[in-house]
Amino acid sequence: MSKTNLLQFTGQSIYCSKAGVHIDPWQPVEKAIITHAHSDHARWGSKHYLAHHDSAPILRQRLGQDISLETVGYGEPFQINGVTFSLHPAGHIIGSAQIRVEYKGEVWVVSGDYKLEDDGFAPAFEPIPCQVFISESTFGLPIYRWKPQQQIYGEIENWWAKNAQEGKASLLMGYALGKTQRILKGVHSDGGRLFAHGAIYALNETLRKAGHDLPELTLITTDMDRKQLAGSLVLAPPSAGSGPWLRKLGPVSTGYCSGWMAIRGAKNRRAIDQGFVLSDHADWNDLNTAIQATGAERVFVTHGFTSAFSRWLREQGLDAQEVQTMYGNEEITETQALEAEPNTDMKSSD
Amino acid sequence: MKRFSELFSELDRTNKTNTKVSLLKNYFMTATDEDKLWALTLFTGRRPSFKINRKQVREWATEVAQIPEWLFQESYQNVGDLGETISLLLPPTRTQEPERSLSEWFDYLGKLPSMDEEKKKEMLLAAWEALSPQEIFVFNKLLMGSFRIGVSQSLVVRALAEATGQPTNVLAHRIMGDWNPDSTNFYNLIHAENLQDQDSRPYPFYLAYPIEADIADLGEPEEWFAEWKWDGIRSQIIVRNQALFIWTRGEELATEKFPELHFLVERLPHGTVLDAEIVAWADGKPLPFQLLQTRIGRKSLTKKTLSEAPIGLLVYDLLEWKGQDLREKPIEYRRSLMEQLLNADPFLGPVQLSPLIEFSSWDDLRELHPDSRSRQAEGFMLKRKSGPYRVGRKKGDWWKWKVDPLTIDAVLIYAQRGSGRRAEQYTDYTFALWDQNGKLIPFAKAYSGLTDKEIGQVDYFIKRNIVEKFGPVRTVKPELVFEIGFEGIGASSRHKSGIAVRFPRILRWRKDKTAQEADTLDSLKQLLVQYGL
């Protein structure tokens, strides 16, 4: 292609030079469109932000109440310098969006992070026809194939019930933004109480205040009686799995929700009692399904197993290439990068 | 199989000893005798072979998964375990066959060796179709003889004892030794009274802990024996009914490896069990362990090997005498019997009593301790005179007091990913020293010695400082320096450095040193001259 691409990978963002707009920049810029509020996509320091309505309260909580932020709904096109932009559900977390960019009949779509399974909280992913698709590949290897979420919720409920029988609390770890809301929607409490670590509690309150239908959680405080934790479900970010916070809970069984739990080594390394394979990212099959559904002939593969997944797509006859971004992290350390997220962004009240 | 693979993943998930014991106990109380025998086979580290070619298994799995070979490889690298990779890549269970038990699957696998390739493939594919991913994982481990699980023998014995009511020492004795699931059944192995057919059975070794506190805390010196801690192969020599058996501590029957000791069958009465160290030996003196090593790996022993690596036997305990189990008697008593036995026989050649070190105060021992290495010993063994011979690693009556390892500061130059639990991190390192031309020469590999946190930091550095890739090996920018400890040193033509070190491990990360400040190959050669062969 001789002319300049509609979107370019500049080393600081996915950039539309025609419109002068950056998508998910990892360095401060003038105008940024944000796919979703996770901290590897929504970074601090840009002058103007634009995102979906539902991302607003979290972005303000994380990037500052006084940021310049404009919000739009899904499927509401707007123009910047002749380029048409619109946001479409990505199904990853609340407010997550794919960014559709159109200029003179050429359509590019930036996926951000996405999953196809409807989690009942974040609006479900919609395939957007396009010529060029920029896809994540966090779980872009065929070893990652998810079971239906209902089955995982069932596993969590059984684990919780068994712990309750043994008089233990069930400490369930997962990312504060995304995983927690799914668990609150999908796992049935059966009368057991719900407690939360400070990071989870703060985020849940933010979302409740914004009008989302989420149950109230009880904040775990230093002075509370540990005995009432027996039989309850305690929600916490991944970082809570070790150290003094954990020890204060009394008898406890630890669980961890993540796509990485599909691999025995990843599970064992965390020294947790139980891993639940639950992810807010598309698995191998769904990455392929999503890409096929866009009808795109060109695919850029960002963060994840970029080289393997782009090679696979090329062998399927697509014009695919890998792109270096600062999303996620290098394939292996992503877990750690995401883990760092909730606590750097929000003060734990503990 | 469902039941057993569940047991496996439950055991795999917990690191709490009590939970493991109760899981195992529950299994031993509820499974069928056939399944229990197979489970015990696996838990005692016996891995039956089904003559299966891993490469072929891989090819078949790749075919069924309908992915290209490179993508299988990519997946394998990220999982780190072949059996698990296959279980994750195969399409979901498709057949609804009646459930087969663990022993039925072993029967199934037992048919494989006599089959041709085509039939083997058919059998494997049918098995994979019938099993869930979790079961496929365990099945693959059985198939490829790579079943491992984090339960120690003593833990299995405890669970078995709780489930059967048999005493632990009896059980430990019974599950060691030369049996396999085809030669016995669960009842005969665990419950049967008759021990006559079990002449070869060794006793479980009593293992010492390293001494933690000052030796003076052990009490009065008169209450203790001190011996040199020999650097050889810990062994039990058993003579029963005119047959001789040599067991090493790894529970390996090594009788054929040491023909020099076979004459003992003539000299020891029926029902004798010695606990002793096989050492390299010449002119009435022990030699460095490296010499022995030339014999260990060999399939057949030539006259040349025997004459180049002569051995001796240093006897330090008598566990059975004239068919009587002496383990409950104090070592003082056992030792006096042993002295009578060995000193009375002038024809024992390289078989000698391991001498006691004479000392009247702890200071005497402290003074002598640094001499250990020059005597080819690793330090002292301290044994309470009134102590029995216990089972497994126990504190209290025996302590080992080792000399500090030899050390050298070396530069990390190559790294490789670990496997299993560590498949996603670079955990296997190669270290190098400077030669006279200012080049780094690799001299040792080490896998252990760092904390999880340090491994994370080193892994982070490596991922950002890879210079070159050779297959799975990454050349890393030479920057990090580590203190490497090792127990022995010898000349070696197989190593680029010309030197082989024994039990190398990372003692600490020398963050205070730059690569330039690491040690030289010459300093390692100095150690070789001082302590080596």
Side-chain angles (χ1 to χ4, degrees), chain A residues 205-226:
Chain A
E205 284 306 296
T206 303
L207 290 172
R208 278 163 54 83
K209 268 182 213 135
H212 294 289
D213 176 25
L214 288 166
E216 193 175 356
L217 300 172
T218 309
L219 176 65
I220 293 198
T221 54
T222 36
D223 52 348
M224 72 187 291
D225 179 11
R226 303 294 151 210

Side-chain angles (χ1 to χ4, degrees), chain A residues 305-326:
Chain A
F305 294 101
T306 50
S307 82
F309 191 55
S310 57
R311 179 172 173 187
W312 162 261
L313 292 175
R314 281 196 295 281
E315 290 184 4
Q316 308 309 302
L318 294 174
D319 173 8
Q321 45 186 299
E322 54 179 310
V323 182
Q324 289 299 320
T325 63
M326 292 287 279

Side-chain angles (χ1 to χ4, degrees), chain B residues 297-523:
Chain B
R298 299 282 159 85
K299 279 226 174 76
S300 61
L301 289 171
T302 60
K303 270 215 169 95
K304 189 161 170 275
T305 331
L306 292 182
S307 67
E308 278 175 5
I311 58 148
L313 186 75
L314 292 164
V315 182
Y316 35 69
D317 217 326
L318 180 64
L319 310 186
E320 185 178 306
W321 175 238
K322 294 184 177 164
Q324 258 211 326
D325 182 350
L326 297 183
R327 291 177 300 159
E328 288 303 319
K329 306 261 189 233
I331 192 171
E332 201 166 21
Y333 173 80
R334 302 197 302 270
R335 176 127 197 141
S336 68
L337 259 185
M338 210 164 33
E339 279 167 4
Q340 288 169 31
L341 166 70
L342 296 179
N343 292 344
D345 189 335
F347 303 108
L348 289 176
V351 177
Q352 306 207 350
L353 207 57
S354 174
L356 291 178
I357 298 163
E358 283 187 29
F359 68 106
S360 52
S361 72
W362 293 122
D363 276 339
D364 292 352
L365 282 185
R366 286 193 192 98
E367 217 166 287
L368 200 54
H369 193 242
D371 285 2
S372 304
R373 195 166 263 129
S374 61
R375 295 182 187 239
Q376 304 303 341
E378 297 179 290
F380 292 146
M381 286 298 305
L382 300 171
K383 298 176 180 174
R384 190 191 299 278
K385 289 180 185 173
S386 61
Y389 190 91
R390 298 181 186 272
V391 170
R393 204 175 285 284
K394 293 275 156 54
K395 290 189 180 179
D397 293 324
W398 285 19
W399 298 100
K400 56 182 173 191
W401 180 19
K402 288 172 74 159
V403 284
D404 292 336
L406 298 166
T407 67
I408 202 145
D409 291 336
V411 186
L412 190 161
I413 57 162
Y414 306 135
Q416 237 179 300
R417 289 193 179 186
S419 56
R421 193 170 93 88
R422 296 260 175 230
E424 294 163 8
Q425 284 180 308
Y426 288 98
T427 57
D428 303 356
Y429 314 126
T430 301
F431 297 95
L433 299 166
W434 297 105
D435 73 0
Q436 287 167 338
N437 306 320
K439 275 175 62 184
L440 281 167
I441 308 296
F443 89 102
K445 274 184 162 194
Y447 307 89
S448 64
L450 295 177
T451 63
D452 280 3
K453 192 177 162 208
E454 285 171 328
I455 290 173
Q457 290 169 341
V458 174
D459 177 67
Y460 185 89
F461 171 86
I462 290 170
K463 282 175 180 157
R464 278 152 193 79
N465 289 283
I466 290 170
V467 183
E468 267 179 303
K469 301 181 179 182
F470 298 102
V473 180
R474 303 285 176 268
T475 306
V476 182
K477 197 170 152 201
E479 204 172 298
L480 306 186
V481 179
F482 296 85
E483 186 179 36
I484 307 299
F486 45 94
E487 295 301 326
I489 184 165
S492 161
S493 54
R494 294 206 326 247
H495 292 75
K496 201 172 172 185
S497 60
I499 290 172
V501 295
R502 187 152 177 252
F503 294 142
R505 60 199 186 268
I506 303 166
L507 294 183
R508 64 192 166 120
W509 187 352
R510 294 296 307 255
K511 291 185 181 172
D512 56 321
K513 281 202 167 183
T514 67
Q516 288 306 321
E517 293 170 303
D519 282 317
T520 62
L521 197 53
D522 280 342
S523 45

Side-chain angles (χ1 to χ4, degrees), chain A residues 141-143 145 262-266 268-269 272-274 284 305 308 311-312 315 329-333, chain B residues 8 12-13 16 68 70-71 74-75 78-79 84 88-91 137 417 420-422 424-425 463:
Chain A
L141 280 180
I143 47 178
R145 292 174 305 179
I263 309 295
R264 181 171 165 241
N268 290 350
R269 203 172 33 256
I272 39 161
D273 298 323
Q274 188 111 28
W284 169 259
F305 294 101
R311 179 172 173 187
W312 162 261
E315 290 184 4
N329 208 313
E330 125 176 42
E331 35 192 74
I332 302 310
T333 47
Chain B
F8 176 87
D12 197 34
R13 261 204 303 267
K16 297 183 184 85
W70 68 265
L71 190 53
E74 196 81 33
S75 299
N78 277 280
V79 177
E84 186 183 2
L88 293 168
L89 287 173
L90 292 175
F137 172 59
R417 289 193 179 186
R421 193 170 93 88
R422 296 260 175 230
E424 294 163 8
Q425 284 180 308
K463 282 175 180 157

Side-chain angles (χ1 to χ4, degrees), chain A residues 82-101:
Chain A
V83 182
T84 309
F85 292 85
S86 53
L87 273 54
H88 304 269
H92 175 57
I93 58 168
I94 190 72
S96 67
Q98 308 174 71
I99 316 292
R100 183 181 184 277
V101 186

